[in-house]
């Protein structure tokens, strides 16, 4: 009896290890949370400086079309971010919309149309595309896409359209591989049931498979958009970097990220110019939060439907 | 002599090098329930899937033999698989309604066949759900997602979905094995009613179920058809030793 009692009441090696493991993972988790909070806090603090200490109104910042932080007009610096906001959104939306049909088509090849050869050939290609660094995409864009657009549309070739093509290639693998995941998670039974009811393979694909996979595909699209919105280097190399409203798709323009990458090294911390860039970073941060939120909402709605 | 609606002769099927069916001769009478029984892995599902050509999609399958629905060759050169499956419907082991409304589930087969007339669809939904004995339970929530229903209800939605295209033959592969006893009995009652209008072929691993509902029973063993006869004969006075052993639970 006493032996049992003793063995139960003393802490065993296993439970000590367990406790130690718990402490280590909690510490790591706490550290990461701290970093995230610090990043948010820092960007928000710097980003809001434009409005608090430099007396720019938020409305003017979001709707102004003139970006020239070193020049002041009526007591406030000229920091209208609309050209970049518009540029970012335009490039993101165009690239994603262009990528969607290709991504879904490719994904269907891999899951439903020719699963064997499709997966054997396309899977490595997709993995390769994901692994290529963005500077390489930008370089190809610069040497191939920009001259091509210059030849076809005239002008310099730099602009939203070039950015769109480069980003299209960059988001394609993201959207495709996530779409593949969501298509292959559609139960095989759905396909069998549909075929057994006299549906053709194509009817089965668009009435059952695509429909059941819609939440997953939407999530894939939002992920692609988030990637496009945040991509800096490749876009900066082909977009032209003129902080002008993008009235034409083939005229030099800019995005939030491209202005940040070109500008952040040339300003001094604490100056208006620097603060304004932080405000752009804040917008980027808020947008990625919005994308995340959208992904969660879609996932939740998808889960409810099941 | 009953009228035979579906006949198969010398059915052989191999998955690659593995022969799963070694030459099955079996025919099905109109407006009867035939139960296919046998230990698991003996080829019941494989045989059933041959009848509406669901094995066609599997890679490396080789099927031979004669399959006739009335006098039409099921595997004939001019046979349209899509049309064939409207005549031979199928219900699966796991209830598998699509993640859409009850209504959309039931009219699925009609819609893919091109029926657009709302009145016609409405009527078909009502008829099919009544035949599957689930109309009263769901008539007020036809636009609700079918996946919100219980397993037994889902399976009856699947039966209704198969019935809506008015097939001649209904194939069921262990339709109650994923359900609780109460739901199983409800499905059995439904099948008994359905045989007035349809020819039913059901795989079951529940011998009592075969005894309760089937007019004829066929016993499969390792890819061979050992014996097919009236259910009464199979259970009371089987011809083959192996059948007797299986019925009395000595193996399988
Ligand atoms: N898609 C398939 N590919 C290869 N072998 C299969 C496949 N489906 C079934 N089999 C094999 O065929 C035999 C019969 O299977 P099945 O018809 O499912 O048996 P039952 O339904 O009587 O349990 C089993 O040995 C099984 O392993
Ligand atoms: Mg089976």
């Amino acid at each position: 009896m006493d032996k049992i009692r003793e063995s139960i009441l003393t802490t065993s090696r296993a439970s000590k290890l367990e406790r130690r493991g718990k402490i280590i993972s909690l510490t790591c988790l706490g550290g990461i949370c701290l970093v995230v909070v610090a990043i948010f806090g820092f960007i928000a603090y710097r980003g809001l400086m434009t409005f608090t200490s430099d007396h720019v109104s938020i409305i003017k910042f979001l709707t102004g079309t003139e970006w020239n932080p070193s020049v002041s007009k009526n007591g406030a610096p000229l920091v209208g971010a609309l050209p970049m906001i518009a540029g970012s959104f335009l490039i993101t939306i165009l690239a994603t919309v262009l990528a969607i049909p290709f991504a879904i088509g490719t994904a269907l090849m891999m899951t439903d149309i020719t699963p064997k050869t499709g997966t054997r050939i396309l899977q490595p290609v997709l993995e390769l595309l994901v692994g290529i660094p963005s500077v390489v995409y930008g370089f190809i864009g610069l040497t191939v896409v920009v001259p091509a657009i210059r030849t076809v549309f005239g002008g310099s070739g730099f602009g939203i359209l070039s950015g769109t093509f480069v980003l299209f290639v960059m988001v394609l693998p993201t959207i495709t591989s996530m779409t593949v995941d969501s298509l292959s998670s559609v139960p095989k039974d759905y396909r069998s049931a549909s075929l057994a009811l006299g549906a053709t393979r194509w009817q089965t694909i668009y009435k059952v498979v695509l429909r059941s996979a819609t939440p997953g595909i939407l999530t894939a699209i939002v992920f692609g958009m988030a990637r496009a919105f945040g991509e800096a280097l490749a876009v900066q190399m082909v977009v032209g970097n003129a902080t002008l409203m993008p009235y034409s798709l083939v005229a030099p323009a800019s995005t939030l990220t491209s202005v940040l990458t070109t500008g952040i090294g040339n300003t001094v911390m604490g100056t208006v110019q620097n603060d304004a860039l932080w405000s752009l970073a804040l917008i980027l941060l808020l947008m990625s939060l919005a994308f995340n939120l959208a992904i969660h909402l879609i996932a939740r709605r998808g889960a409810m439907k099941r | 002599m009953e009228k035979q609606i579906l006949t198969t002769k010398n059915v052989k099927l191999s998955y690659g090098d593995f022969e799963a069916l070694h030459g099955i001769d079996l025919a099905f009478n109109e407006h009867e329930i035939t139960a296919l029984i046998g230990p698991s892995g003996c080829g019941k599902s494989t045989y059933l899937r041959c009848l509406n050509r669901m094995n066609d999609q599997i890679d490396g399958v080789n099927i031979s033999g004669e399959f006739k629905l009335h006098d039409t060759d099921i595997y004939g050169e001019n046979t349209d698989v899509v049309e064939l499956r409207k005549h031979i419907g199928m219900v699966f082991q796991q209830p598998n309604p699509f993640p859409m409304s009850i209504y959309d589930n039931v009219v699925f087969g009609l819609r893919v066949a091109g029926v657009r007339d709302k009145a016609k669809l409405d009527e078909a939904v009502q008829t099919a759900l009544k035949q599957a004995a689930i109309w009263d339970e769901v008539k007020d929530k036809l636009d609700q997602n079918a996946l919100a229903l219980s397993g037994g209800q889902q399976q009856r939605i699947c039966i209704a979905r198969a019935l809506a295209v008015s097939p001649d033959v209904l194939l069921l592969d262990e339709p109650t094995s994923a359900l609780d006893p109460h739901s199983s009995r409800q499905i059995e009652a439904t099948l008994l009613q359905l045989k007035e209008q349809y020819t039913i072929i059901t795989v079951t691993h529940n011998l009592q179920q075969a005894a309760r509902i089937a007019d004829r029973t066929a016993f499969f063993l390792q890819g061979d058809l050992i014996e097919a006869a009236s259910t009464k004969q199979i259970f009371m006075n089987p011809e083959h030793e192996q059948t007797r052993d299986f019925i009395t639970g000595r193996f399988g």
Side-chain angles (χ1 to χ4, degrees):
Chain A
M1 259 335 245
D2 273 356
K3 237 187 181 165
I4 297 179
R5 201 165 146 194
E6 199 186 329
S7 96
I8 292 179
L9 289 184
T10 50
T11 322
S12 70
R13 222 177 90 78
S15 17
K16 268 188 207 145
L17 264 180
E18 159 111 5
R19 198 174 310 155
R20 206 174 311 150
K22 234 183 211 167
I23 292 174
I24 293 176
S25 20
L26 276 180
T27 318
C28 295
L29 183 70
I32 291 172
C33 288
L34 208 70
V35 170
V36 172
V37 170
I39 291 177
F40 271 63
F42 187 72
I43 294 180
Y45 169 69
R46 305 280 346 173
L48 291 174
M49 285 289 223
T50 316
F51 314 114
T52 52
S53 61
D54 300 327
H55 311 294
V56 177
S57 86
I58 293 191
I59 309 280
K60 279 239 175 76
F61 179 76
L62 292 177
T63 57
T65 55
E66 253 180 290
W67 179 266
N68 204 346
S70 35
V71 178
S72 278
K73 206 173 173 185
N74 309 332
L78 277 176
V79 284
L82 193 59
M84 287 79 104
I85 297 176
S88 275
F89 273 98
L90 254 173
I91 277 199
T92 301
I93 291 170
L94 287 176
T96 317
V97 166
L98 192 63
I100 290 171
F102 289 91
I104 294 183
T106 313
L108 279 173
M109 281 304 276
M110 294 170 64
T111 58
D112 282 80
I113 300 171
T114 55
K116 271 212 183 122
T117 46
T119 310
R120 205 173 53 223
I121 298 169
L122 292 172
Q123 189 73 39
V125 170
L126 285 181
E127 277 158 15
L128 197 73
L129 285 178
V130 176
I132 297 177
S134 41
V135 66
V136 175
Y137 282 111
F139 197 58
I140 294 172
L142 197 61
T143 46
V144 179
V145 180
V146 171
I149 287 188
R150 186 188 305 142
T151 319
V152 177
F153 295 99
S156 67
F158 292 97
I160 300 277
L161 198 59
S162 303
T164 300
F165 283 127
V166 171
L167 271 186
F168 157 72
V169 183
M170 295 181 73
V171 298
L172 191 62
T174 310
I175 305 184
T176 308
S177 56
M178 288 184 66
T179 303
V180 167
D181 290 344
S182 113
L183 290 179
S184 37
S185 74
V186 173
K188 241 187 142 72
D189 261 12
Y190 288 176
R191 296 178 172 88
S192 310
S194 168
L195 292 173
L197 285 165
T200 61
R201 218 145 70 117
W202 175 238
Q203 285 173 325
T204 301
I205 286 174
Y206 80 83
K207 288 194 175 227
V208 177
V209 179
L210 285 180
R211 210 180 137 163
S212 317
T214 303
I217 296 176
L218 286 178
T219 309
I221 292 171
V222 178
F223 256 97
M225 288 178 76
R227 166 133 206 241
F229 205 83
E231 175 53 42
L233 205 53
V235 173
Q236 185 233 319
M237 289 167 81
V238 299
V239 80
N241 303 307
T243 51
L244 305 168
M245 277 307 274
Y247 289 114
S248 154
L249 291 183
V250 288
S254 58
T255 65
L256 292 167
T257 50
S258 74
V259 170
L260 269 172
T261 42
T262 40
I264 204 82
N266 307 327
T267 57
V268 181
M269 200 74 165
T271 57
V272 187
Q273 292 91 323
N274 190 267
D275 291 347
L277 291 179
W278 281 108
S279 304
L280 295 185
L282 184 60
I283 298 183
L284 271 173
L285 188 72
L286 292 178
M287 273 314 294
S288 63
L289 275 182
F291 283 125
N292 262 304
L293 198 68
I295 289 166
H296 279 286
L297 286 179
I298 293 167
R300 186 126 48 98
R301 275 206 49 203
M304 268 192 321
K305 262 172 76 183
R306 258 143 222 271
Chain B
M1 180 84 183
E2 307 275 344
K3 188 167 175 254
Q4 294 184 335
I5 180 169
L6 186 59
T7 55
T8 66
K9 285 205 184 97
N10 196 24
V11 172
K12 289 187 180 159
L13 180 145
S14 36
Y15 295 111
D17 294 334
F18 171 72
E19 192 174 79
L21 300 174
H22 313 305
I24 309 275
D25 292 317
L26 191 54
F28 303 92
N29 295 333
E30 215 167 10
H31 302 308
E32 276 192 2
I33 298 180
T34 306
L36 310 183
I37 61 171
S40 108
C42 66
K44 306 178 299 284
S45 302
T46 299
Y47 175 77
L48 196 74
R49 283 199 306 264
C50 287
L51 301 178
N52 67 342
R53 293 184 58 170
M54 289 300 280
N55 286 326
D56 287 17
Q57 327 157 49
I58 302 175
D59 275 343
V61 166
N62 211 331
I63 306 169
S64 68
E66 192 186 298
F67 299 77
K68 289 222 153 113
L69 175 67
H70 295 295
D71 289 322
T72 319
D73 186 1
I74 291 180
Y75 284 83
E77 253 173 57
N78 301 323
T79 306
D80 186 316
V81 189
V82 167
E83 276 311 308
L84 169 79
R85 290 182 182 144
K86 288 172 192 156
H87 291 280
I88 307 183
M90 189 170 213
V91 173
F92 298 78
Q93 181 168 357
Q94 282 294 329
N96 58 354
F98 302 126
M100 38 177 109
S101 74
I102 296 174
Y103 186 96
D104 287 340
N105 262 284
V106 179
V107 297
F108 185 88
L110 292 172
R111 285 211 176 120
V112 297
V115 180
R116 290 279 170 274
D117 183 1
K118 180 93 171 68
K120 225 183 210 165
L121 293 176
D122 286 349
E123 194 194 311
V125 167
Q126 187 166 345
T127 315
L129 287 171
K130 277 184 177 158
Q131 285 180 331
I134 193 174
W135 171 251
D136 289 330
E137 286 160 67
V138 300
K139 63 169 184 260
D140 299 323
K141 45 181 180 183
L142 292 177
D143 53 359
Q144 193 179 313
N145 195 310
L147 293 180
L149 299 173
S150 75
Q153 290 175 320
Q154 289 187 13
Q155 193 62 306
R156 277 183 288 151
I157 294 294
C158 294
I159 295 178
R161 183 174 67 182
L163 295 180
V165 286
S166 347
D168 305 308
V169 180
L170 190 61
L171 311 176
L172 304 103
D173 192 352
E174 306 198 16
T176 63
S177 67
L179 305 181
D180 62 273
H182 178 70
S183 307
S184 305
R185 292 303 279 262
Q186 285 181 315
I187 302 263
E188 287 176 21
T190 308
L191 293 182
L192 281 173
Q193 282 184 357
L194 288 176
K195 76 170 183 175
E196 306 295 327
Q197 290 172 65
Y198 305 92
T199 304
I200 295 172
I201 306 171
T202 177
V203 173
T204 177
H205 64 194
N206 179 340
L207 293 178
Q208 283 86 21
Q209 181 171 73
R212 279 193 298 264
I213 65 172
D215 300 291
R216 286 169 64 80
T217 297
F219 172 55
F220 282 64
L221 186 62
Q222 288 179 356
D224 283 309
L225 174 68
I226 303 296
E227 186 169 357
S230 75
T231 301
K232 206 164 153 196
Q233 189 185 334
I234 292 280
F235 279 87
M236 310 295 269
N237 186 22
E239 239 173 67
H240 292 260
E241 196 61 33
Q242 291 152 314
T243 316
R244 191 186 313 275
D245 287 351
F246 183 71
I247 299 296
T248 51
R250 243 171 282 169
F251 71 93

